[in-house]
Amino acid sequence: MSDQDKNPLKKQLSKSSLEKSLQMISPPQQAPITIYPGPSAGMANLSKADLEIAQRLQNLRQSQMENLPTEEEMASRLAHLKGLPEDHYTKASTAAFQPPDTRTQTQKASDLLVQVCIIQPLLT
């Protein structure tokens, strides 16, 4: 036997039935390409009534962008709705973080006595 007869991966000369049936099948068709219109062509296929509505919506968006309230105006409106003073949200907050007091009870009592002794002579 020759080397080609012993080799299991030898090249087949005849086509198998699977290969024949695959060749008879037509190649798959490509999916249709969908082209979406850009923003400028968005209203090209609209009816007359839809065009009017789209134009009104665009005008409304533009007018609202021009008349946006400032942060101060919104804060005063919110305060008014909640029944608070108008400067409630705009005034500077005096609350600040205070770290916890790590002194012992004895030290705290001693410091209070010192403060009382210092303040009491000033009051008399």
Side-chain angles (χ1 to χ4, degrees), residues 101-114:
D101 193 359
T102 57
R103 299 177 295 171
T104 64
Q105 293 293 330
T106 309
Q107 289 173 332
K108 290 178 185 178
S110 174
D111 290 343
L112 283 174
L113 288 173
V114 169

Side-chain angles (χ1 to χ4, degrees), residues 14-103:
S14 66
K15 294 182 179 180
S16 68
S17 61
L18 178 63
E19 290 175 335
K20 288 178 184 177
S21 36
L22 286 175
Q23 284 181 346
M24 290 185 344
I25 298 173
S26 63
Q29 299 292 326
Q30 290 183 341
I33 298 173
T34 305
I35 299 174
Y36 295 100
S40 61
M43 295 187 226
N45 298 327
L46 296 179
S47 67
K48 184 177 179 181
D50 290 338
L51 281 172
E52 290 175 11
I53 292 171
Q55 186 63 38
R56 287 173 46 201
L57 179 62
Q58 186 176 7
N59 291 341
L60 182 62
R61 285 181 181 156
Q62 287 176 352
S63 68
Q64 285 184 350
M65 290 300 289
E66 295 169 358
N67 299 329
L68 287 178
T70 63
E71 270 190 61
E72 292 80 20
E73 290 173 338
M74 290 192 309
S76 67
R77 288 180 189 176
L78 180 61
H80 179 71
L81 287 173
K82 290 187 172 185
L84 300 170
E86 288 195 15
D87 64 344
H88 178 75
Y89 293 107
T90 56
K91 64 181 176 184
S93 176
T94 57
F97 174 73
Q98 295 180 352
D101 193 359
T102 57
R103 299 177 295 171

